[in-house]
């Protein structure tokens, strides 16, 4: 009985890991919507929008060399999952006056996948 419980538990843990990998892969596909304006990864540079390396825990409007709107600089946001999901659903509603022109991603699963993709990159652009 113990062996069976162990096997079931191990199978569940393994399948959870696979699901997480699928989320990151789906997030990479979703990130294609962002690439006209944003870069991520090693060697990323600012484009129309700032680089997105090290997003989790970063303060809004804080990437050196990027010309943020006053609204973005003064928003007081610190990027975490909940803040990101609220922002990416409707950027102009979350930060009125932002320069980001994007219709938003309304689908919660896609928001989750995109967050999983983005947060795998540290401030230096390397995958954690």
């Amino acid at each position: 009985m113990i062996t069976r419980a162990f096997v079931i538990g191990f199978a569940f843990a393994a399948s959870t890991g696979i699901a997480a990998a699928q989320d990151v892969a789906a997030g990479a596909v979703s990130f294609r919507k962002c690439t006209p304006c944003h870069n991520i990864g090693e060697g990323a540079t600012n484009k129309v929008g700032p680089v997105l390396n090290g997003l989790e825990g970063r303060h809004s409007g804080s990437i050196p060399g990027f010309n943020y709107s006053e609204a973005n600089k003064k928003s007081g946001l610190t990027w975490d999952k909940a803040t990101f999901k609220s922002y990416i659903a409707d950027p102009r509603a979350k930060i009125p006056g932002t320069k980001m022109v994007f219709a938003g991603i309304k689908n919660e699963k896609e928001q989750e996948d995109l967050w999983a993709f983005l947060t795998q990159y540290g401030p230096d652009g390397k995958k954690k």
Side-chain angles (χ1 to χ4, degrees):
M1 187 67 155
I2 293 174
T3 304
R4 183 174 180 204
F6 176 78
V7 170
I8 291 170
F10 180 78
F12 175 75
S15 69
T16 303
I18 290 168
Q22 291 170 342
D23 291 345
V24 170
V29 171
S30 182
F31 186 71
R32 291 179 190 160
K33 295 176 182 178
C34 310
T35 60
C37 299
H38 296 280
N39 273 328
I40 197 163
E42 293 184 65
T45 57
N46 293 327
K47 293 168 79 175
V48 173
V51 297
L52 297 178
N53 292 334
L55 187 61
E56 187 171 30
R58 190 172 88 198
H59 295 285
S60 180
S62 64
I63 291 291
F66 185 76
N67 185 23
Y68 289 96
S69 66
E70 285 301 311
N72 198 290
K73 289 188 276 188
K74 294 178 179 179
S75 71
L77 297 179
T78 299
W79 297 112
D80 61 17
K81 185 188 235 181
T83 302
F84 173 77
K85 287 174 64 177
S86 174
Y87 180 78
I88 203 65
D90 189 350
R92 290 182 175 256
K94 184 70 175 178
I95 303 178
T98 184
K99 291 191 282 185
M100 184 163 161
V101 179
F102 182 67
I105 296 174
K106 311 297 187 222
N107 181 285
E108 191 168 342
K109 171 82 168 87
E110 187 176 358
Q111 294 169 357
E112 296 267 346
D113 293 346
L114 183 54
W115 180 252
F117 173 76
L118 294 172
T119 58
Q120 71 179 331
Y121 292 93
D124 60 0
K126 293 182 181 178
K127 288 187 178 180
K128 298 177 187 176

